[in-house]
Amino acid sequence: MSIAAKYYPSEPASPSVVTTSIPGPKSQEELAKLGKVFDARPAYFMTDYEKSVGNYIVDADGNTYLDLYAQIASIALGYNNPALIKAAQSPEMVRALVDRPALGNFPSKDLAPILEKILKFAPKGQDHVWSGLSGADANELAFKAAFIYYRSKQRGYDTEFSTEENQSVMKNAEPGSPHLAVLSFKKAFHGRLFASGSVTCSKPIHKLDFPAFQWPHAEYPSYKFPLAENEDANRAEDDRCLKIVEDLITSWSIPVAALIIEPIQSEGGDNHASKYFLQSLRDLTSKHGVVYIIDEVQTGVGATGKFWCHEWADIQPPVDLVTFSKKFQSAGYFFHDPKFIPNKPYRQFNTWCGEPARMIIAGAIGQEIVDNKLLEQCTRVGDYLFSKLEALQSKYPEKFQRLRGQNRGTFIAWDLPSPAERDALLKSLKLHGCNVGGCAELSVRLRPTLTFEEKHADIFVDALSKAVSEL
Amino acid sequence: MSIAAKYYPSEPASPSVVTTSIPGPKSQEELAKLGKVFDARPAYFMTDYEKSVGNYIVDADGNTYLDLYAQIASIALGYNNPALIKAAQSPEMVRALVDRPALGNFPSKDLAPILEKILKFAPKGQDHVWSGLSGADANELAFKAAFIYYRSKQRGYDTEFSTEENQSVMKNAEPGSPHLAVLSFKKAFHGRLFASGSVTCSKPIHKLDFPAFQWPHAEYPSYKFPLAENEDANRAEDDRCLKIVEDLITSWSIPVAALIIEPIQSEGGDNHASKYFLQSLRDLTSKHGVVYIIDEVQTGVGATGKFWCHEWADIQPPVDLVTFSKKFQSAGYFFHDPKFIPNKPYRQFNTWCGEPARMIIAGAIGQEIVDNKLLEQCTRVGDYLFSKLEALQSKYPEKFQRLRGQNRGTFIAWDLPSPAERDALLKSLKLHGCNVGGCAELSVRLRPTLTFEEKHADIFVDALSKAVSEL
């Protein structure tokens, strides 16, 4: 029995769209009501999560969509998953919800087992975890770890802070508040708070009017596809970008303490980085004493066919910090070097130190992925889907430019010739019963759950064929 | 029947400490194990939340403490509250946990009712809410709202961004990334991320080695107690500090877009601000076009006898933004002016846009407070407790300096003569069965739940008398 059939005996056999426009009239009415207390302008439709099941999301009008966006790539197993319902109803969950602990000061007896369940799924080479609340939070906590580590190497791990440091920091001034930078990449997305916002560089609307740190953005390689036919050109592109990275590390006006990169830039357009590029960044960061942070917020938890996308690059020695959120529901960063534990307590600290309710869900998601061999399934279904898209590409080469994600599970994207055509395609796909997201200006990105199967791929490709032929 | 008796028929009659040191041997053993995967150095003891009930927290050794710290002021109703257990087991909760929505793009049909339940408890004058994940997150989201609003007043609410803004922001440069400041106060605590960390100014350890924005800290009034006997001196202190605020607003090298203040600085030492001071800040911020943000993360949700502490000051017109977290479990900010809704969608946005599971808990907490008249109870018990502490102060004036929090519910604090004596008192209180927290260098702060009653106050005062007499 397929896993979708096992989890979701009542999953619909196909999508069903009953309104002539989306959002439909009931969604519109309810969104107008919601708009009085909440900014509902970005809403696609009003969702009925009670009726949503497996790979299908249902809206207030009863439209039933095959969901290849999955809450901005944040649903791992499908809607109303029975294993997660069981976790949600467990006594540990009730305790976590009603007695939310300040985990640093008053850790729960439940905490070690909960964390161990998450650490079972840590990237190769990582054996510690620190917990946060969102992707942006995870990245900023990782920056704090990186800054503490960077300065501790200069000062000496056990050296006490100087009087000057203790005094100047209370004025937000050097040396206590040092000028240090995190290097990121153009088109990167790492969150929308102030430090995470300073490394984010995908769209102006994310950043306008907010003060930012004067941190540098290097260039992320832009490859020619298919990759196998363009190896020389893409290697030259890698080398061009690596030179920019090294130049920025050695010449930026503020010392670069850390580098953060997505192994596939997602919000910024599903831009892939090669194994060579990611390994060369390890070499460069080691050479220059820069902390290497991999942001797996969108790429993590299975959708590329590995639990963590950067495992494809088998980076040696392992990167320093790996951040996660989204499909793991819980957020935080993994690390392996105990020197990333600050020399004193209360430096990496806050009231809650994480959300145990979401950690319980993360552990359950990881276990389901392993027990049901969902990485293998995602690889198999991704290959199947990719070949179908290649066939469409042969038929409509203009509408399937730079098709990417081969051998990366269902983490697939391609470009349309113009933003207008991309937007029209996404709109048409909804009317054909498929909820699909875009990224950057031209790209369609596929982010189905890990319970997406060949039968779902067939339904999607059928809808896509119609939508493209009507463009 | 008292509310504690109604909620917690099995609440212990008194504390019970069975180990001779704290943490006891079992706690130590379990913390050592936890330390392998989590920074357990700040832990007071290993907590058994299953056995904790009402106002009593139980550790791994079976020590049962009357809890006047309550997860760093974050437990509103006591441990294992039956009304919250009911909320935790509701179908809406299960849906929120297993189908975590991206609320901005795919809002749930459950969302409007959930938000309306929170808005029922909004501070007077506020009728909108935006949701976050922690106190630090709530404050930074409020800063984003403030910066957008401040720049929109300069640019015109409906004016399009210029090409120069759109281009410069991608380099973290002006004018797209403007130099704007948030003014805060010395000894303030507003969180530990990078912008919230820049307005935090309580202890160096919170900030050392992290880059900070060059934002100014004004002086927070330091009053003589009791307040009623020192009105003239304290008014002069208010005026001295107000002058510093206005000087900073008019002369700081970076334009001050917003001001953030705690109505009682909690982490920084339970420093109170008068009605006159808080109202004068409204006058000053209105005069200079500065957004006025009240941080109610620790002071909110009832412990001062009002739902929100700044309601004591009846500030007119209402402040612009009010942030919350901790005892509401959910986090975010309230506001009343629709102009704080950005001119375009996706400016105040992120994947999750809040945590519906915690919003459900917040609504349930608020309703219990109202239904059970817990503000009235907190006022009554606070008065009772304060008078008992005054009696102890008469007996041991050296050990009860600057006793504060009269007429502020159970939000009570006092100072010891030295950090060593303060720490010794907190340690001794634990051995006498009371879990109590400190703040700043010299202060003891009381943060019991809203179900703390006269009988609990008697137990605490009895333990305190013993501990003080043994100092």
Side-chain angles (χ1 to χ4, degrees):
Chain A
M1 190 190 285
S2 85
I3 186 64
K6 179 186 141 190
Y7 279 147
Y8 308 114
S10 66
E11 193 183 59
S14 61
S16 146
V17 175
V18 296
T19 63
T20 52
S21 64
I22 295 163
K26 275 197 190 159
S27 266
Q28 286 188 29
E29 190 188 319
E30 293 190 20
L31 288 172
K33 258 190 253 172
L34 177 63
K36 287 174 190 161
V37 291
F38 185 80
D39 185 357
R41 290 172 295 179
Y44 285 34
F45 43 73
M46 180 64 83
T47 308
D48 188 333
Y49 290 98
E50 199 173 349
K51 294 191 182 142
S52 300
V53 56
N55 292 280
Y56 287 87
I57 185 169
V58 178
D59 74 15
D61 291 278
N63 294 315
T64 302
Y65 312 89
L66 183 65
D67 196 0
L68 289 93
Y69 198 26
Q71 307 300 317
I72 320 180
S74 299
I75 297 288
L77 303 177
Y79 296 103
N80 291 309
N81 182 280
L84 298 193
I85 291 173
K86 199 174 155 202
Q89 293 173 329
S90 66
E92 305 93 280
M93 178 63 85
V94 173
R95 280 197 292 281
L97 286 171
V98 307
D99 304 323
R100 186 172 189 171
L103 286 172
N105 280 161
F106 303 99
S108 159
K109 284 173 73 176
D110 296 334
L111 181 59
I114 288 172
L115 287 172
E116 281 155 15
K117 279 176 199 157
I118 292 178
L119 278 166
K120 276 169 71 174
F121 309 105
K124 268 183 216 161
Q126 313 295 353
D127 53 11
H128 291 66
V129 64
W130 185 251
S131 201
L133 298 172
S134 69
D137 190 44
N139 285 332
E140 298 209 355
L141 293 174
F143 297 167
K144 289 176 70 170
F147 289 131
I148 290 173
Y149 175 77
Y150 186 89
R151 287 286 294 129
S152 83
K153 279 191 303 175
Q154 297 177 324
R155 183 194 289 115
Y157 187 78
D158 291 319
T159 305
E160 289 296 319
F161 304 114
S162 70
T163 305
E164 195 189 357
E165 286 176 318
N166 279 314
Q167 289 175 347
S168 58
V169 75
M170 301 307 270
K171 298 176 181 170
N172 293 333
E174 292 187 287
S177 304
H179 290 297
L180 293 174
V182 180
L183 182 148
S184 64
F185 291 84
K186 291 181 183 174
K187 302 183 189 162
F189 186 90
H190 302 291
R192 294 159 160 267
L193 297 173
F194 289 83
S196 48
S198 299
V199 289
T200 284
C201 190
S202 48
K203 285 184 187 158
I205 197 77
H206 301 149
K207 294 167 64 85
L208 280 158
D209 291 347
F210 306 139
F213 290 108
Q214 299 295 306
W215 294 350
H217 305 127
E219 284 194 43
Y220 197 97
S222 177
Y223 298 139
K224 291 191 166 69
F225 290 83
L227 296 175
E229 294 170 22
N230 293 282
E231 283 186 7
D232 289 352
N234 291 337
R235 172 62 68 102
E237 171 67 358
D238 279 338
D239 286 331
R240 185 184 72 85
C241 295
L242 289 166
K243 180 168 185 324
I244 294 171
V245 171
E246 186 159 27
D247 286 350
L248 285 170
I249 290 174
T250 54
S251 70
W252 192 251
S253 58
I254 303 170
V256 173
L259 174 153
I260 185 167
I261 188 168
E262 301 153 275
I264 302 172
Q265 288 188 327
S266 308
E267 188 69 25
D270 266 37
N271 308 310
H272 290 240
S274 70
K275 176 176 164 64
Y276 168 73
F277 189 75
L278 293 171
Q279 177 62 52
S280 298
L281 290 179
R282 169 75 295 179
D283 302 339
L284 279 180
T285 51
S286 295
K287 176 179 168 190
H288 294 288
V290 171
V291 175
Y292 190 178
I293 307 171
I294 294 269
D295 178 334
E296 289 268 14
V297 169
Q298 183 153 167
T299 49
V301 192
T304 66
K306 300 260 190 200
F307 208 99
W308 304 101
C309 179
H310 77 283
E311 294 181 72
W312 284 106
D314 191 28
I315 302 165
Q316 295 301 337
V319 300
D320 298 307
L321 306 169
V322 179
T323 62
F324 61 93
S325 182
K326 285 200 180 261
K327 269 205 276 295
F328 233 18
Q329 303 287 296
S330 181
Y333 62 88
F334 295 109
F335 61 104
H336 63 275
D337 189 334
K339 286 209 172 164
F340 282 103
I341 299 167
N343 61 344
K344 291 175 189 288
Y346 288 107
R347 301 190 68 191
Q348 184 74 289
F349 189 82
N350 54 67
T351 295
W352 285 322
C353 296
E355 168 55 282
R358 291 296 172 190
M359 294 184 204
I360 291 168
I361 297 284
I365 288 170
Q367 200 57 52
E368 290 299 306
I369 291 173
V370 170
D371 290 349
N372 296 291
K373 299 191 169 41
L374 296 183
L375 299 182
E376 293 82 341
Q377 170 168 322
C378 179
T379 302
R380 189 191 74 224
V381 176
D383 290 349
Y384 178 82
L385 175 56
F386 197 88
S387 69
K388 295 247 172 183
L389 294 171
E390 283 182 315
L392 277 177
Q393 187 184 35
S394 303
K395 196 168 169 189
Y396 305 102
E398 270 295 294
K399 313 295 186 199
F400 288 87
Q401 297 179 24
R402 302 181 71 244
L403 178 64
R404 45 209 191 273
Q406 189 163 33
N407 304 322
R408 289 296 177 273
T410 56
F411 212 93
I412 295 170
W414 70 90
D415 289 0
L416 276 290
S418 70
E421 282 174 276
R422 193 276 308 270
D423 293 348
L425 180 64
L426 295 178
K427 190 174 171 188
S428 171
L429 276 170
K430 273 185 202 65
L431 288 166
H432 284 99
C434 293
N435 184 43
V436 180
C439 57
E441 303 300 320
L442 302 176
S443 304
V444 174
R445 62 172 151 174
L446 306 186
R447 296 292 179 272
T449 78
L450 302 177
T451 62
F452 192 82
E453 297 181 351
E454 285 85 349
K455 68 179 178 189
H456 304 112
D458 286 340
I459 291 167
F460 168 64
V461 170
D462 187 47
L464 179 61
S465 305
K466 288 180 195 151
V468 166
S469 72
E470 292 160 12
L471 262 190
Chain B
M1 189 190 283
S2 84
I3 186 65
K6 179 187 141 190
Y7 279 147
Y8 308 114
S10 66
E11 195 183 58
S14 61
S16 146
V17 175
V18 296
T19 62
T20 52
S21 64
I22 295 163
K26 273 196 193 162
S27 267
Q28 286 188 31
E29 190 188 320
E30 293 190 19
L31 289 172
K33 258 189 254 171
L34 178 62
K36 287 174 192 160
V37 291
F38 185 80
D39 184 358
R41 290 172 295 179
Y44 285 35
F45 43 73
M46 181 62 84
T47 308
D48 188 333
Y49 290 98
E50 198 173 350
K51 293 193 181 140
S52 301
V53 56
N55 291 281
Y56 287 86
I57 186 170
V58 178
D59 73 16
D61 291 277
N63 294 315
T64 302
Y65 312 89
L66 182 65
D67 194 0
L68 289 94
Y69 197 27
Q71 308 301 315
I72 321 181
S74 299
I75 297 288
L77 303 177
Y79 296 103
N80 290 309
N81 182 279
L84 298 193
I85 290 173
K86 199 175 154 201
Q89 293 173 330
S90 67
E92 304 93 279
M93 179 63 85
V94 173
R95 279 198 292 283
L97 286 170
V98 307
D99 303 324
R100 186 171 191 173
L103 286 172
N105 279 160
F106 303 99
S108 160
K109 285 174 72 174
D110 295 335
L111 181 60
I114 288 172
L115 286 173
E116 281 155 15
K117 279 176 199 157
I118 291 178
L119 278 166
K120 277 170 71 175
F121 309 104
K124 268 182 215 163
Q126 313 295 353
D127 53 11
H128 291 67
V129 64
W130 185 251
S131 201
L133 298 172
S134 68
D137 190 44
N139 285 332
E140 299 210 356
L141 294 174
F143 298 166
K144 289 176 70 171
F147 289 130
I148 290 173
Y149 175 77
Y150 186 88
R151 286 287 295 128
S152 83
K153 280 192 303 176
Q154 298 178 324
R155 183 194 291 114
Y157 187 78
D158 292 319
T159 305
E160 289 297 319
F161 305 113
S162 69
T163 305
E164 195 190 358
E165 285 176 320
N166 279 315
Q167 289 175 347
S168 58
V169 75
M170 301 307 272
K171 297 175 182 169
N172 292 334
E174 292 188 285
S177 304
H179 289 297
L180 293 174
V182 180
L183 183 148
S184 64
F185 292 84
K186 289 179 183 176
K187 301 184 190 162
F189 187 90
H190 301 291
R192 295 159 161 267
L193 298 173
F194 289 83
S196 49
S198 299
V199 290
T200 285
C201 189
S202 47
K203 285 184 187 156
I205 197 77
H206 301 149
K207 295 166 66 82
L208 279 157
D209 292 347
F210 306 138
F213 289 109
Q214 299 296 304
W215 294 351
H217 305 127
E219 285 195 41
Y220 197 97
S222 177
Y223 299 140
K224 292 192 166 70
F225 289 83
L227 296 175
E229 295 169 22
N230 294 282
E231 284 186 6
D232 289 352
N234 290 338
R235 174 61 68 101
E237 172 68 356
D238 278 338
D239 287 330
R240 185 184 72 85
C241 294
L242 288 166
K243 182 168 183 326
I244 293 171
V245 170
E246 187 160 26
D247 286 350
L248 285 171
I249 290 174
T250 55
S251 70
W252 191 251
S253 59
I254 302 169
V256 173
L259 174 152
I260 185 166
I261 188 168
E262 301 153 275
I264 302 172
Q265 287 187 328
S266 307
E267 188 68 24
D270 266 35
N271 309 310
H272 290 241
S274 69
K275 175 177 164 64
Y276 168 73
F277 189 75
L278 293 172
Q279 178 62 51
S280 299
L281 290 180
R282 168 75 295 179
D283 303 339
L284 279 180
T285 50
S286 295
K287 177 179 167 190
H288 295 289
V290 171
V291 176
Y292 189 179
I293 307 171
I294 293 270
D295 178 335
E296 289 268 14
V297 170
Q298 183 152 167
T299 50
V301 193
T304 66
K306 301 261 189 200
F307 208 99
W308 304 101
C309 178
H310 76 285
E311 294 181 70
W312 284 106
D314 191 27
I315 301 165
Q316 295 301 336
V319 300
D320 298 307
L321 306 169
V322 179
T323 62
F324 60 92
S325 182
K326 283 198 181 265
K327 269 205 276 292
F328 233 17
Q329 302 287 295
S330 181
Y333 62 88
F334 295 110
F335 61 106
H336 63 277
D337 189 334
K339 287 208 173 164
F340 282 102
I341 299 167
N343 61 343
K344 291 174 188 288
Y346 289 107
R347 301 190 68 191
Q348 185 72 291
F349 188 82
N350 54 68
T351 295
W352 285 322
C353 296
E355 168 56 282
R358 291 295 171 191
M359 294 185 204
I360 291 168
I361 296 284
I365 287 170
Q367 201 56 51
E368 290 300 306
I369 290 173
V370 170
D371 289 350
N372 295 292
K373 298 191 171 38
L374 296 182
L375 298 183
E376 294 83 339
Q377 169 168 322
C378 179
T379 300
R380 190 191 74 225
V381 176
D383 290 349
Y384 178 83
L385 174 57
F386 196 88
S387 68
K388 295 246 173 184
L389 295 171
E390 283 182 315
L392 277 177
Q393 187 184 35
S394 303
K395 197 167 169 191
Y396 305 102
E398 270 294 296
K399 313 292 187 203
F400 287 87
Q401 297 179 24
R402 302 181 70 247
L403 178 64
R404 46 208 190 274
Q406 191 163 31
N407 304 321
R408 290 296 178 273
T410 55
F411 211 94
I412 296 170
W414 71 91
D415 289 359
L416 275 290
S418 70
E421 282 174 277
R422 194 276 308 270
D423 293 348
L425 180 64
L426 295 178
K427 190 174 172 187
S428 172
L429 277 170
K430 271 185 204 64
L431 288 166
H432 284 99
C434 293
N435 183 42
V436 180
C439 57
E441 303 300 322
L442 302 175
S443 304
V444 175
R445 62 172 151 173
L446 305 185
R447 297 291 180 272
T449 78
L450 302 177
T451 62
F452 192 82
E453 296 181 352
E454 285 86 348
K455 69 179 180 190
H456 304 112
D458 287 340
I459 291 166
F460 168 63
V461 170
D462 187 48
L464 179 61
S465 306
K466 288 181 194 152
V468 167
S469 72
E470 291 161 12
L471 262 190

